[in-house]
Amino acid sequence: MTHEDLFGAAPDGHWSAPGRVNLIGEHTDYNDGLVLPLALPHTARAAASRRPDRRLRLYSAGMPDGGTVDLDLDALAPGTVTGWAAYPAGVAWALREDGHQLGGLNVSYESDVPVGAGLSSSAALEVVTAVALDDLFGLGLAPTALARVAQRAERDFAGVPCGILDQMASACCTAGHVLRLDTRDLSMRQIPFSMALEGLRLLVIDTGVRHAHADGAYARRRAECEAGATALGVPALRDVPPEGLDDALARLPDATLRRRVRHVVTENDRVERVVALLDAGRARAIGPLLTAGHASLRDDFEVTCPELDLAVSASTAAGALGARMTGGGFGGSAIALVDADAAEATAGAVRNAFAAAGHHPPGIFEAIPAPGAGRLPV
Ligand code: GLA
């Protein structure tokens, strides 16, 4: 159904916002650390038309619980909207909380970002809504401000504890680049990541595993990181330099906290090392750092699952230069950096390994660094 069929009015514009994979820098964003995402070609798209009243009518055919949701713009409050509509409604709520003047709106959504795959389908919905509202109501907000609004929608309205990685990636990534983002102050640098030039491909392996208790486990990891920072007397684990790690570990009596801290400190260091290699034009050399990042997430941070571990071990056994889980973990997706001419063989090896282990067939596709959110040409 077109927007006009649904709402009896032609859209005032079309906007899009991508999902993301994170090349490296996992579970660092809520520790004020470094991340290195790229935008996927998969996007959430919104068509929107203003309404004369103060209703917010949202439509999505594709969401698992899709359909039309009719909301009163002035009655939006955390906990009042459930399902997919909580993400866009939360954006309108957060903007109103900040004192922005919004009017009624019809918005129809489409998305091809896989849902629940750790590829930021919810951030894409939030960010596309944020850019559309910013544009339609002339708010003049910068992409970083829109990302913060989107994060509050997810965290404070939809109630999902998250950092700023996904929303910043969707709002700020650019085609052909990875984004080096310092989550402490949101300073960023676009780093060319031209895999084709170097004969490389980046595969995304969606395990199909959706972990039901991921939010609770994620919140526990955050609490452990905060406890670690408090015990060490630093504002955030970001403030423990790699050369201070041994001393820091010696001061932590709890073995679990020691593992969590070691992951965050070594992961920030891995981001810097990957960035240095990319800056030196040595993308082929980053593989071992990706694989080491996975081992750290598996053994120290304990956020992987058998399917993610198998995606990584099967790809590296088949000759991938490096592989790791990406996103929050507990299911979702892995990435594998491969020689372009080995991509098919690697994907085949992963499929075979999944079949032999009795897992559902994984979804495998290529990630090509795509543009961030914006208005679409008519
Ligand atoms: C999820 C969260 C992000 C980030 C990652 C882990 O994707 O939404 O903020 O914490 O997990 O790096």
Side-chain angles (χ1 to χ4, degrees):
M1 242 197 283
T2 67
H3 188 87
E4 199 154 0
D5 294 338
L6 282 163
F7 298 115
D12 297 322
H14 295 83
W15 295 262
S16 91
R20 62 98 190 90
V21 290
N22 193 15
L23 188 60
I24 194 152
E26 222 65 84
H27 289 274
T28 49
D29 63 347
Y30 52 84
N31 292 295
D32 278 2
L34 305 172
V35 294
L36 199 62
L38 56 126
L40 290 172
H42 305 66
T43 56
R45 294 168 302 280
S49 52
R50 294 186 194 80
R51 297 173 59 91
D53 58 13
R54 300 203 44 86
R55 310 296 303 178
L56 187 59
R57 300 201 78 198
L58 308 172
Y59 173 83
S60 161
M63 294 296 141
D65 49 356
T68 305
V69 178
D70 186 1
L71 302 166
D72 177 350
L73 196 54
D74 298 310
L76 295 174
T80 57
V81 185
T82 55
W84 70 273
Y87 303 115
V91 169
W93 168 81
L95 287 169
R96 291 208 54 238
E97 286 279 296
D98 287 348
H100 294 293
Q101 302 294 319
L102 306 178
L105 210 60
N106 303 310
V107 197
S108 49
Y109 295 92
E110 287 175 358
S111 177
D112 60 359
V113 186
V115 174
L119 301 174
S120 297
S121 62
S122 53
L125 272 181
E126 292 149 11
V127 171
V128 76
T129 306
V131 291
L133 291 175
D134 178 67
D135 213 356
L136 282 171
F137 298 108
L139 308 182
L141 295 172
T144 48
L146 295 174
R148 283 197 196 277
V149 161
Q151 180 199 21
R152 279 167 51 218
E154 177 136 1
R155 203 185 52 195
D156 302 339
F157 192 88
V160 182
C162 65
I164 192 81
L165 160 66
D166 308 342
Q167 293 80 10
M168 279 295 290
S170 187
C172 299
C173 280
T174 57
H177 296 83
V178 287
L179 177 72
R180 180 198 184 275
L181 172 70
D182 184 332
T183 64
R184 170 159 273 169
D185 58 7
L186 299 193
S187 59
M188 48 185 155
R189 182 157 68 88
Q190 307 285 350
I191 301 177
F193 191 51
S194 42
M195 288 175 288
L197 282 180
E198 306 196 42
L200 297 173
R201 287 199 192 168
L202 189 65
L203 300 180
V204 180
I205 304 160
D206 175 4
T207 64
V209 177
R210 285 31 176 160
H211 195 300
H213 304 295
D215 283 359
Y218 183 94
R220 275 200 300 285
R221 294 300 181 283
R222 287 189 74 135
E224 289 163 349
C225 289
E226 277 160 30
T230 304
L232 294 169
V234 288
L237 291 183
R238 153 65 177 281
D239 298 301
V240 180
E243 57 280 10
L245 180 60
D246 287 345
D247 277 356
L249 295 181
R251 288 165 53 208
L252 292 171
D254 182 85
T256 302
L257 280 199
R258 279 202 296 275
R259 288 201 302 278
R260 305 299 188 247
V261 168
R262 185 164 56 199
H263 167 70
V264 175
V265 175
T266 57
E267 184 78 350
N268 273 320
D269 188 46
R270 280 185 287 272
V271 177
E272 293 289 39
R273 289 170 192 264
V274 167
V275 166
L277 287 169
L278 294 181
D279 280 340
R282 298 184 55 210
R284 299 186 69 79
I286 72 172
L289 288 162
L290 304 188
T291 309
H294 184 82
S296 179
L297 288 158
R298 182 190 61 212
D299 302 335
D300 279 351
F301 219 64
E302 298 179 280
V303 293
T304 70
C305 65
E307 293 83 351
L308 284 169
D309 294 339
L310 185 61
V312 168
S313 60
S315 352
T316 49
L321 302 170
R324 60 183 291 278
M325 59 153 266
T326 190
F330 309 107
S333 300
I335 52 173
L337 185 69
V338 298
D339 272 315
D341 54 13
E344 287 314 313
T346 309
V350 172
R351 283 195 196 95
N352 289 342
F354 269 57
H359 300 321
H360 286 292
I364 304 184
F365 60 90
E366 189 179 347
I368 297 168
R375 189 172 186 140
L376 294 170
V378 185

